[in-house]
Amino acid sequence: MRVIICPSAEEASRQAANMVAKQLQKKANSVLGLATGDTPKKLYKQLIEKYRENKIDFSEVTTFNLDEYFGLRPEHPQSYRSFMQEYFFSQINIPSSQTFVPNGLTSDVENYGAKYEAQIDSAGGIDLQILGIGRDGHIGFNEPGSSLGSLTRVKALTSETISDNARFFNTKEQVPHLAITMGVGSILKAKTCLLLAFGSAKSKAVMEMIEGPITSQVTASALQLHPQTVVFLDEEAAEKLARKKYYHEAEAAQKQLEIFSSDNTPLP
Ligand code: F6R
């Protein structure tokens, strides 16, 4: 796991956006896995800016969102489809036929997950998966106890997640208790994972994800098994890490390596 600790969430999002831009430069028809929530908003803003400056093009990109509330219409203002429209899709040149968000209204609960997995597979699999992390260490809506081999399915949210997400609804009672989410196993299939975490409220989950044991009680810890995961943190999210000094040293060494490697093509 590569751990990049930045002075601010803005800087972390800027560096993460550069990584997405490099991916699109390398492969114009990349398949991106996307997350919602507060964390990736700055990243999406940076990507929109790059698009407006003609530095990146989304016309050939396909996207798959991690999750959607079960029971919400796509047009519902709090649906994750609406979130993606508002904060990203409506401001870039991606054809809507190339954007996939799980259907929260599916009547085929039993088979829907397998169909979503098949759609991802037929697009060639996810090249770069963007992730946030919940205070309880979840990725997607894979709450503590989710199988580390799980695939897309319907999952019950914890009361902690329901309370955290109540800020997007008028009342806590309006927050759905179920979601369709890609599983931990689905996420681990992505070629590269990029996880962002900001603020001290995330510091415990971040520490457990990076330095704790691999456990279904902190589903993000499964990323320790992934060969290509990059974690971008601000100082507050990194505050509980025991090996912070090493992560800074490793980054400095990594920069030297990049000077000598072929991966030093200028940013788009
Ligand atoms: C959202 C998702 C969740 C969030 C997590 C953090 O699509 O998959 O795992 O990334 O709940 O949410 P924020 O960023 O709002 O703190």
Side-chain angles (χ1 to χ4, degrees):
M1 215 185 266
R2 186 172 167 190
V3 181
I4 303 180
I5 304 168
C6 299
S8 65
E10 282 72 23
E11 176 57 19
S13 304
R14 198 187 62 78
Q15 291 194 28
N18 286 344
M19 193 174 147
V20 178
K22 279 223 167 196
Q23 171 65 40
L24 301 191
Q25 186 182 40
K26 203 168 68 186
K27 185 179 172 199
N29 63 346
S30 288
V31 179
L32 300 180
L34 301 178
T36 55
D38 276 334
T39 310
K41 282 182 184 169
K42 291 187 176 68
L43 165 64
Y44 294 146
K45 224 169 144 192
Q46 295 270 355
L47 291 174
I48 292 163
E49 260 171 48
K50 283 186 191 294
Y51 161 69
R52 289 189 180 144
E53 292 163 1
N54 284 322
K55 290 179 176 163
I56 47 175
D57 172 28
F58 290 92
S59 61
E60 293 179 45
V61 169
T62 300
T63 64
F64 287 91
N65 265 78
L66 280 167
D67 40 22
E68 177 59 283
Y69 287 117
F70 189 74
L72 290 196
R73 288 172 289 109
E75 309 77 40
H76 189 286
Q78 265 69 46
S79 77
Y80 284 173
R81 164 61 76 178
S82 294
F83 176 101
M84 291 312 301
Q85 274 316 116
E86 180 177 350
Y87 290 101
F88 199 34
F89 298 153
S90 64
Q91 301 180 63
I92 56 171
N93 66 333
I94 191 162
S96 64
S97 58
Q98 289 161 215
T99 67
F100 296 85
V101 179
N103 175 10
L105 288 187
T106 182
S107 51
D108 188 12
V109 177
E110 213 173 306
N111 300 306
Y112 185 78
K115 284 185 193 157
Y116 198 66
E117 295 283 335
Q119 281 177 314
I120 297 174
D121 289 345
S122 68
I126 290 173
D127 292 300
L128 179 60
Q129 175 66 58
I130 293 163
L131 296 164
I133 182 170
R135 282 192 304 133
D136 59 6
H138 68 229
I139 44 174
F141 271 132
N142 295 289
E143 300 285 31
S146 298
S147 156
L148 300 186
S150 53
L151 300 174
T152 305
R153 73 242 182 268
V154 176
K155 190 77 198 160
L157 309 190
T158 60
S159 52
E160 192 177 28
T161 300
I162 292 168
S163 302
D164 283 350
N165 291 3
R167 67 193 191 278
F168 300 113
F169 292 79
N170 293 330
T171 63
K172 193 174 156 185
E173 287 61 45
Q174 290 175 354
V175 185
H177 288 203
L178 293 168
I180 300 177
T181 180
M182 276 167 58
V184 182
S186 332
I187 294 168
L188 293 179
K189 284 197 270 181
K191 293 176 191 86
T192 301
C193 290
L194 184 173
L195 185 142
L196 297 157
F198 309 134
S200 50
K202 298 289 176 73
S203 61
K204 182 170 172 282
V206 164
M207 184 269 287
E208 290 174 340
M209 163 179 72
I210 299 172
E211 296 177 342
I214 297 170
T215 166
S216 64
Q217 299 310 305
V218 180
T219 54
S221 66
L223 292 168
Q224 292 176 29
L225 292 169
H226 191 277
Q228 189 68 31
T229 289
V230 185
V231 178
F232 289 94
L233 305 172
D234 64 2
E235 290 286 353
E236 289 76 20
E239 72 195 5
K240 291 197 170 63
L241 291 172
R243 304 187 69 230
K244 218 163 130 175
K245 189 166 160 277
Y246 171 71
Y247 305 133
H248 281 299
E249 288 165 359
E251 264 323 286
Q254 176 78 23
K255 293 248 156 52
Q256 282 180 348
L257 192 67
E258 277 167 14
I259 296 170
F260 293 103
S261 83
S262 56
D263 190 25
N264 58 4
T265 43
L267 277 170

